[in-house]
Amino acid sequence: MNKIAVIDYGMGNLHSVAKAVEFVGSQSGDDVAVIVTSDAQKIANADRVIFPGVGAIRDCMAEILRLDVDKIVGDAIRCKPVLAICVGMQALMLRSEENAGVVCLGFVQGEVRYFGDELKDEGGERLKVPHMGWNEVNQVRAHPLWQDVPDNSRFYFVHSYYVYTDKQEMVTGVTNYGTDIVASLADDNIFATQFHPEKSQHAGLTLLRNFLRWDGTS
Amino acid sequence: MALAKRIIPCLDCEKGRVVKGVKFLDIRDAGDPVEVSKRYSDAGADEITFLDITASHEGRDTTVHTVEAIASQVFIPLTVGGGIRTLDDIRTMLNAGADKVGINTAAVSNPEFVREAAERFGSQCIVVAVDAKQVSNGGEESKWEIFTHGGRNPTGLDAIDWVKRMVDYGAGEILLTSMDRDGTKIGFDLVLTKAVSNAVSVPIIASGGVGNLQHLVDGVIEGEADAVLAASIFHFQEYSIQEAKAYMADNGIEVRQ
């Protein structure tokens, strides 16, 4: 039995990620049990942990701290594979520019920046913010979670802030939207994505399948 | 590489079945929403929009179950609109598996609702749907007014001012329907679409009037829409999603294939 805990701290649509993981488990014939919970003990007992997040970072961080999810995530990071998605990824960083500046969990080196109001593409055309829709992800580093995912596959993004890190060796995927941004990164047993694998059809489901089988090493 | 323009089939649903009205009348049955969603997703649709046109409260439970069923089998973004009036309505739909909700009439009757919704759930899941109708005469500068209740009720609101205000309040996306074009199959109102797209920073979904694939291309290139929505041309299999994408790609539009 492969026990997957999706951390629930009241922010956003956890049904999607839980359903996607269940679907992938049933498709691949693996014995997968998914629980959506904020219970520290259940998360401690899980084999793998998914840390999702949508919405404003200030509200996410407030709920994370109120429900002691910071400690739960910290414990998970010490010992098992963790997949952080979207604002879940951003919450792992040191700080975010959103909401006039929010201190984040600081488990991963880097910060969260705003795209800016005057974002333009290479041809000088205005780009809409949020970055919403399907964009290509260049796999800049090999990783077990990329197995069977063709390079430059499109994944579904929806965000106005993006992760910046000086530790380029962590970056596994890059996408371009006016500027090169971190689409995904890996830091030991953490894999984090700015895009939503649970909403990215074949490419996303393949990445989730790989996560279900990942031992946390690269 | 660039962000792909999105093709979004729209499922107008009543009592658990997909229907599509022509100018909101003359409804024809186009099938089971779960099957239809799955078919579109397999064919490469970039998102699904589910519009609940059921008026009664009993019908709402059916909608929640339908959304749950779609979300369990379809792994692309799902927007649910129709009858979203309270923060509880939004929570119910998000918990059922919707990624975004479309707010239309409730935004007009209480604009602060959009602000509260965006603050609580994040702008990324708040789509403000607007139904606009041209009110200027030929020779005058184009003007459009917002209508509610399927185009029956004028509001006195200028469409451009309204979408700017909605984005200011936290709308993450605008679903723009031309009431003059809806059901006509003569193409989007491109002047309206471009005016709205240029007025705001967030993505615009063009809707209303698609009758052929060139209309989709026009919506993106001339209307400057970020996504194009259509119902009947896909429901009645006049064109497939693949054909639509291939046609857009042939016309130089970035699409997901």
Side-chain angles (χ1 to χ4, degrees), chain A residues 13 126 128 136 154 199 201, chain B residues 1-2 41 98-99 197 254:
Chain A
N13 178 2
R126 183 179 67 133
K128 299 289 183 77
E136 290 169 306
R154 288 186 186 272
K199 286 288 149 187
Q201 218 191 7
Chain B
M1 65 183 179
S41 170
D99 298 285
S197 187
E254 193 95 20

Side-chain angles (χ1 to χ4, degrees), chain A residues 26 43 102 107 116 125 132 138 172 205:
Chain A
S26 69
I43 294 166
V102 171
F107 291 131
E125 289 289 314
M132 184 186 288
N138 181 6
T172 53
L205 297 177

Side-chain angles (χ1 to χ4, degrees), chain B:
Chain B
M1 65 183 179
L3 185 66
K5 300 296 179 187
R6 289 168 280 155
I7 296 185
I8 307 176
C10 178
L11 282 55
D12 292 35
C13 290
E14 186 172 32
K15 295 173 189 145
R17 301 289 292 176
V18 182
V19 293
K20 174 62 189 177
V22 175
K23 289 206 165 183
F24 293 96
L25 296 166
D26 184 24
I27 286 168
R28 288 166 71 186
D29 193 313
D32 168 45
V34 181
E35 285 307 309
V36 174
S37 302
K38 229 161 122 24
R39 175 162 27 104
Y40 288 146
S41 170
D42 290 344
D46 297 307
E47 292 188 30
I48 302 283
T49 288
F50 180 104
L51 273 185
D52 181 17
I53 59 171
T54 309
S56 66
H57 277 287
E58 311 84 78
R60 306 289 300 168
D61 291 338
T62 312
T63 303
V64 173
H65 292 308
T66 306
V67 170
E68 279 173 359
I70 295 172
S72 303
Q73 295 181 50
V74 174
F75 301 101
I76 59 175
L78 174 65
T79 300
V80 178
I84 303 287
R85 294 189 183 88
T86 66
L87 295 178
D88 274 347
D89 290 338
I90 299 177
R91 186 187 308 280
T92 300
M93 287 308 170
L94 295 180
N95 284 344
D99 298 285
K100 313 181 209 180
V101 292
I103 304 174
N104 188 334
T105 303
V108 173
S109 35
N110 175 20
E112 286 297 323
F113 173 52
V114 171
R115 201 197 299 272
E116 288 165 18
E119 278 179 8
R120 180 64 193 89
F121 302 103
S123 291
Q124 83 292 332
C125 68
I126 305 300
V127 181
V128 171
V130 301
D131 294 339
K133 201 185 268 190
Q134 186 156 359
V135 289
S136 51
N137 298 312
E140 294 174 9
E141 193 189 343
S142 295
K143 269 184 91 66
W144 300 267
E145 184 179 332
I146 299 296
F147 281 69
T148 60
H149 297 86
R152 291 193 301 277
N153 297 4
T155 65
L157 295 164
D158 176 75
I160 303 297
D161 292 344
W162 177 246
V163 293
K164 282 184 180 167
R165 184 170 168 203
M166 288 295 94
V167 171
D168 199 38
Y169 282 19
E173 196 171 35
I174 300 290
L175 169 53
L176 172 68
T177 302
S178 161
M179 300 310 296
D180 301 305
R181 298 302 177 90
D182 200 61
T184 64
K185 294 184 168 265
I186 60 170
F188 296 119
D189 182 337
L190 298 172
V191 182
L192 168 67
T193 306
K194 184 173 179 175
V196 169
S197 187
N198 288 335
V200 295
S201 58
V202 303
I204 301 295
I205 305 166
S207 158
V210 174
N212 62 46
L213 301 182
Q214 184 60 39
H215 293 152
L216 301 177
V217 169
D218 294 343
V220 170
I221 292 178
E222 290 182 44
E224 300 184 18
D226 302 281
V228 286
L229 180 138
S232 51
I233 66 160
F234 296 131
H235 294 338
F236 298 106
Q237 288 159 23
E238 291 161 44
Y239 300 98
S240 69
I241 303 275
Q242 292 100 322
E243 283 170 333
K245 287 203 166 174
Y247 191 83
M248 287 170 79
D250 285 346
N251 282 274
I253 296 171
E254 193 95 20
V255 292
R256 177 177 73 110
Q257 284 183 309

